[in-house]
Amino acid sequence: FSPTVKTSDLTSPLGVMPHQIRGSIVSYTMMTPTVPAFKYCTGCCDDVVHAYTKHKFSFVKDVCNSVTFLEDTAGLKSFREEATMKMEECLDWDEDSEGDEDF
């Protein structure tokens, strides 16, 4: 387990939910690297878990019928929009600003 995840932080009844499982053919071992859950994870974020718990099959049906339903439920759409805005703000340099005449 990763030192960033404390065993006291495990809130799932099944323990840590691995987001990936890595295997080694050379040593015949498997490793499940763990990190704190991503706030907008489409598999385990609070909004997705709550929606599934509340709506069950209806939620699964909506996910299967819509390309963006799960991303919208998890909040990924707003996360991406916010990230795009921040990147545009960072890259929005005024080339004609004062003090640049010497360069």
Side-chain angles (χ1 to χ4, degrees):
F1 289 100
S2 170
T4 60
V5 177
K6 301 175 191 167
T7 54
S8 61
D9 292 342
L10 304 178
T11 57
S12 170
L14 299 176
V16 174
M17 179 186 296
H19 287 85
Q20 49 179 277
I21 299 173
R22 295 183 182 186
S24 170
I25 295 176
V26 175
S27 63
Y28 298 105
T29 58
M30 289 195 328
M31 177 181 121
T32 54
T34 56
V35 295
F38 178 53
K39 182 178 178 181
Y40 304 104
C41 178
T42 55
C44 68
C45 77
D46 291 338
D47 291 340
V48 170
V49 171
H50 176 71
Y52 174 74
T53 303
K54 185 175 181 182
H55 303 291
K56 304 282 185 201
F57 181 74
S58 174
F59 175 77
V60 175
K61 185 175 77 171
D62 291 341
V63 169
C64 292
N65 288 330
S66 172
V67 176
T68 61
F69 183 79
L70 188 57
E71 292 178 358
D72 294 341
T73 304
L76 276 176
K77 183 177 181 180
S78 61
F79 174 74
R80 286 186 183 137
E81 289 170 356
E82 183 180 339
T84 301
M85 275 186 5
K86 288 183 179 184
M87 284 299 294
E88 288 173 358
E89 288 174 9
C90 288
L91 299 175
D92 188 26
W93 296 95
D94 185 6
E95 294 177 6
D96 298 326
S97 64
E98 293 181 32
D100 288 345
E101 293 86 21
D102 296 336
F103 292 106

